[in-house]
Amino acid sequence: MKSLPCGLGGIALVLLTLPSPASAQYMYLDSNRDGVHTAADVLHEVGPTVVDIWLDTAHNRDGSVTVCAANPATQMNIFSYLVNLTASAGTVSYSAFTNRMPQMGLISAGASNSTDFSTGAFSAPPGTVLPPGKYLLGTLTVDVVSGAPSLDFISISPITYEPNAFGSSCPGSVFGNTITLGYDWFDVDGLPFGTGGGPNQAPTLSPLADMSVLAGEVAIQTINATDPEGQPLTFAETSGPPFMFVATTDQGSGSGHGEIRLAPFLSDVGTTAGSVSVSDGTTSDQATFHIAVSAGPNHPPFVPQIPRLTVIAGQVGKEFLSAGDPDGSTPHFQKAGGPAFASVHGLAARNGGASAVLTASPTVCDVGLTTVTPLRSRSVSET
Ligand SMILES: [Ca+2]
Ligand SMILES: [Ca+2]
Ligand SMILES: [Ca+2]
């Protein structure tokens, strides 16, 4: 068992005194969005530095292919990660972290202070494993506050006490299925301090097109924005009618995308306006567009698939039912056919939706398979 490295000094000492073992991987920071680590990647003295965290599980820093030390037949794949950074010789301000691994979700929140940053733990669902390769794990923005700090990877976070590591089918030397920095791998490159830089510039939202949509139908507009520093972008609704929805589809690295969805009811016919904003985490831009809703053809109400209801003779079976109407009319349930022991009762109804309960109370005389046909969409009327 190797001794526990204590902070950056420990890591640096290991790097200087131990040759990289064959099981090493390579984690590095990239501050100029070219995907590789060179002398051009620095922590800027002035303004934001947008930092991408990369991990190559398939290669060491020198380009040689990685091997699972515990079992060379096991792939150096990845299904989770957690990264710790620390600033030395100065203090910084860390932004929130943007995960870039679409297959992975947050399972344990990160943390930061004026020197240390932890991404938090991100993991793929059980059974999902990504092959060995080079991955952009995520992005954060770092601003220098005082001194001339450099930014480096650290094995154990002094805030969360979590190890800088990634989950893999390859067993680690400390934790099973966890490849830990400072124990299982040593190839890391952070960011040295660099003079220069400039103040943050706001993102720019591309002009929005006016939208026309028929009641009961859905209209979608793709929205785009750019950011000079390449920060991840988030779109949001600033104002608009209740049938307007805004989502971010791609936070991007300098060019982000989202969409506006309109799904109006017949009662929304008329003209109105919507407003959308885009933020780089600090500054934002905003744009407004006009919305016109027209009456169109009626759309029939719809009922989701109803599962089979199995009832023992002499007992009562119940099934919850729901229906919707794209135009915002009120659906009404009614029994259109089926055995006498089955009945349908409306529970609640409002514009655009309704619910009901199907009750079946068969006797032994009713044993067998029967079909209650009242609940197909054509059997749901609307007002
Ligand atoms: Ca670079
Ligand atoms: Ca910016
Ligand atoms: Ca309708």
PDB file of all heavy atoms in Angstrom, residues 145-158:
ATOM      1  N   VAL A 145      -8.718  35.523  -8.088  1.00  0.00           N
ATOM      2  CA  VAL A 145      -9.127  36.551  -7.138  1.00  0.00           C
ATOM      3  C   VAL A 145      -7.910  37.241  -6.521  1.00  0.00           C
ATOM      4  O   VAL A 145      -7.877  38.460  -6.385  1.00  0.00           O
ATOM      5  CB  VAL A 145     -10.020  35.941  -6.029  1.00  0.00           C
ATOM      6  CG1 VAL A 145     -10.330  36.974  -4.949  1.00  0.00           C
ATOM      7  CG2 VAL A 145     -11.320  35.401  -6.638  1.00  0.00           C
ATOM      8  N   SER A 146      -6.888  36.462  -6.153  1.00  0.00           N
ATOM      9  CA  SER A 146      -5.695  37.067  -5.561  1.00  0.00           C
ATOM     10  C   SER A 146      -4.479  36.201  -5.862  1.00  0.00           C
ATOM     11  O   SER A 146      -4.600  35.004  -6.126  1.00  0.00           O
ATOM     12  CB  SER A 146      -5.864  37.219  -4.046  1.00  0.00           C
ATOM     13  OG  SER A 146      -5.859  35.935  -3.438  1.00  0.00           O
ATOM     14  N   GLY A 147      -3.306  36.844  -5.837  1.00  0.00           N
ATOM     15  CA  GLY A 147      -2.060  36.119  -6.036  1.00  0.00           C
ATOM     16  C   GLY A 147      -1.862  35.710  -7.483  1.00  0.00           C
ATOM     17  O   GLY A 147      -2.453  36.295  -8.408  1.00  0.00           O
ATOM     18  N   ALA A 148      -1.050  34.701  -7.689  1.00  0.00           N
ATOM     19  CA  ALA A 148      -0.733  34.185  -9.020  1.00  0.00           C
ATOM     20  C   ALA A 148      -0.928  32.667  -9.006  1.00  0.00           C
ATOM     21  O   ALA A 148       0.022  31.898  -9.136  1.00  0.00           O
ATOM     22  CB  ALA A 148       0.703  34.546  -9.403  1.00  0.00           C
ATOM     23  N   PRO A 149      -2.188  32.233  -8.834  1.00  0.00           N
ATOM     24  CA  PRO A 149      -2.425  30.800  -8.611  1.00  0.00           C
ATOM     25  C   PRO A 149      -2.249  29.946  -9.859  1.00  0.00           C
ATOM     26  O   PRO A 149      -2.531  30.378 -10.972  1.00  0.00           O
ATOM     27  CB  PRO A 149      -3.880  30.764  -8.137  1.00  0.00           C
ATOM     28  CG  PRO A 149      -4.505  31.972  -8.755  1.00  0.00           C
ATOM     29  CD  PRO A 149      -3.425  33.017  -8.783  1.00  0.00           C
ATOM     30  N   SER A 150      -1.814  28.728  -9.627  1.00  0.00           N
ATOM     31  CA  SER A 150      -1.881  27.683 -10.645  1.00  0.00           C
ATOM     32  C   SER A 150      -2.987  26.725 -10.218  1.00  0.00           C
ATOM     33  O   SER A 150      -3.432  26.727  -9.075  1.00  0.00           O
ATOM     34  CB  SER A 150      -0.545  26.942 -10.756  1.00  0.00           C
ATOM     35  OG  SER A 150      -0.223  26.350  -9.511  1.00  0.00           O
ATOM     36  N   LEU A 151      -3.456  25.931 -11.178  1.00  0.00           N
ATOM     37  CA  LEU A 151      -4.569  25.019 -10.927  1.00  0.00           C
ATOM     38  C   LEU A 151      -4.081  23.604 -11.185  1.00  0.00           C
ATOM     39  O   LEU A 151      -3.525  23.327 -12.255  1.00  0.00           O
ATOM     40  CB  LEU A 151      -5.723  25.380 -11.873  1.00  0.00           C
ATOM     41  CG  LEU A 151      -7.141  24.952 -11.506  1.00  0.00           C
ATOM     42  CD1 LEU A 151      -7.545  25.500 -10.150  1.00  0.00           C
ATOM     43  CD2 LEU A 151      -8.105  25.433 -12.583  1.00  0.00           C
ATOM     44  N   ASP A 152      -4.269  22.726 -10.208  1.00  0.00           N
ATOM     45  CA  ASP A 152      -3.758  21.362 -10.343  1.00  0.00           C
ATOM     46  C   ASP A 152      -4.767  20.340  -9.840  1.00  0.00           C
ATOM     47  O   ASP A 152      -5.643  20.651  -9.037  1.00  0.00           O
ATOM     48  CB  ASP A 152      -2.451  21.211  -9.543  1.00  0.00           C
ATOM     49  CG  ASP A 152      -1.339  22.065 -10.113  1.00  0.00           C
ATOM     50  OD1 ASP A 152      -0.738  21.650 -11.112  1.00  0.00           O
ATOM     51  OD2 ASP A 152      -1.109  23.163  -9.563  1.00  0.00           O
ATOM     52  N   PHE A 153      -4.607  19.115 -10.311  1.00  0.00           N
ATOM     53  CA  PHE A 153      -5.407  18.009  -9.793  1.00  0.00           C
ATOM     54  C   PHE A 153      -4.876  17.606  -8.430  1.00  0.00           C
ATOM     55  O   PHE A 153      -3.676  17.678  -8.161  1.00  0.00           O
ATOM     56  CB  PHE A 153      -5.343  16.810 -10.740  1.00  0.00           C
ATOM     57  CG  PHE A 153      -5.978  17.075 -12.075  1.00  0.00           C
ATOM     58  CD1 PHE A 153      -5.205  17.451 -13.162  1.00  0.00           C
ATOM     59  CD2 PHE A 153      -7.351  16.964 -12.245  1.00  0.00           C
ATOM     60  CE1 PHE A 153      -5.777  17.698 -14.403  1.00  0.00           C
ATOM     61  CE2 PHE A 153      -7.938  17.220 -13.470  1.00  0.00           C
ATOM     62  CZ  PHE A 153      -7.151  17.587 -14.551  1.00  0.00           C
ATOM     63  N   ILE A 154      -5.791  17.154  -7.576  1.00  0.00           N
ATOM     64  CA  ILE A 154      -5.411  16.688  -6.247  1.00  0.00           C
ATOM     65  C   ILE A 154      -6.140  15.366  -6.004  1.00  0.00           C
ATOM     66  O   ILE A 154      -7.270  15.181  -6.453  1.00  0.00           O
ATOM     67  CB  ILE A 154      -5.769  17.755  -5.194  1.00  0.00           C
ATOM     68  CG1 ILE A 154      -5.184  17.413  -3.845  1.00  0.00           C
ATOM     69  CG2 ILE A 154      -7.267  17.962  -5.085  1.00  0.00           C
ATOM     70  CD1 ILE A 154      -5.321  18.559  -2.847  1.00  0.00           C
ATOM     71  N   SER A 155      -5.476  14.457  -5.305  1.00  0.00           N
ATOM     72  CA  SER A 155      -6.060  13.130  -5.140  1.00  0.00           C
ATOM     73  C   SER A 155      -7.280  13.152  -4.227  1.00  0.00           C
ATOM     74  O   SER A 155      -8.365  12.756  -4.611  1.00  0.00           O
ATOM     75  CB  SER A 155      -5.023  12.151  -4.600  1.00  0.00           C
ATOM     76  OG  SER A 155      -5.601  10.862  -4.489  1.00  0.00           O
ATOM     77  N   ILE A 156      -7.093  13.641  -2.990  1.00  0.00           N
ATOM     78  CA  ILE A 156      -8.198  13.646  -2.024  1.00  0.00           C
ATOM     79  C   ILE A 156      -8.645  15.089  -1.795  1.00  0.00           C
ATOM     80  O   ILE A 156      -7.833  15.944  -1.466  1.00  0.00           O
ATOM     81  CB  ILE A 156      -7.781  13.018  -0.679  1.00  0.00           C
ATOM     82  CG1 ILE A 156      -7.154  11.635  -0.891  1.00  0.00           C
ATOM     83  CG2 ILE A 156      -8.980  12.946   0.270  1.00  0.00           C
ATOM     84  CD1 ILE A 156      -8.105  10.584  -1.426  1.00  0.00           C
ATOM     85  N   SER A 157      -9.943  15.367  -1.946  1.00  0.00           N
ATOM     86  CA  SER A 157     -10.448  16.728  -1.722  1.00  0.00           C
ATOM     87  C   SER A 157     -10.425  17.054  -0.239  1.00  0.00           C
ATOM     88  O   SER A 157     -10.969  16.302   0.573  1.00  0.00           O
ATOM     89  CB  SER A 157     -11.881  16.845  -2.236  1.00  0.00           C
ATOM     90  OG  SER A 157     -12.475  18.035  -1.732  1.00  0.00           O
ATOM     91  N   PRO A 158      -9.823  18.207   0.148  1.00  0.00           N
ATOM     92  CA  PRO A 158      -9.867  18.598   1.561  1.00  0.00           C
ATOM     93  C   PRO A 158     -11.246  19.109   1.983  1.00  0.00           C
ATOM     94  O   PRO A 158     -11.475  19.326   3.171  1.00  0.00           O
ATOM     95  CB  PRO A 158      -8.815  19.716   1.647  1.00  0.00           C
ATOM     96  CG  PRO A 158      -8.738  20.262   0.266  1.00  0.00           C
ATOM     97  CD  PRO A 158      -9.064  19.140  -0.679  1.00  0.00           C
TER      98      PRO A 158
END
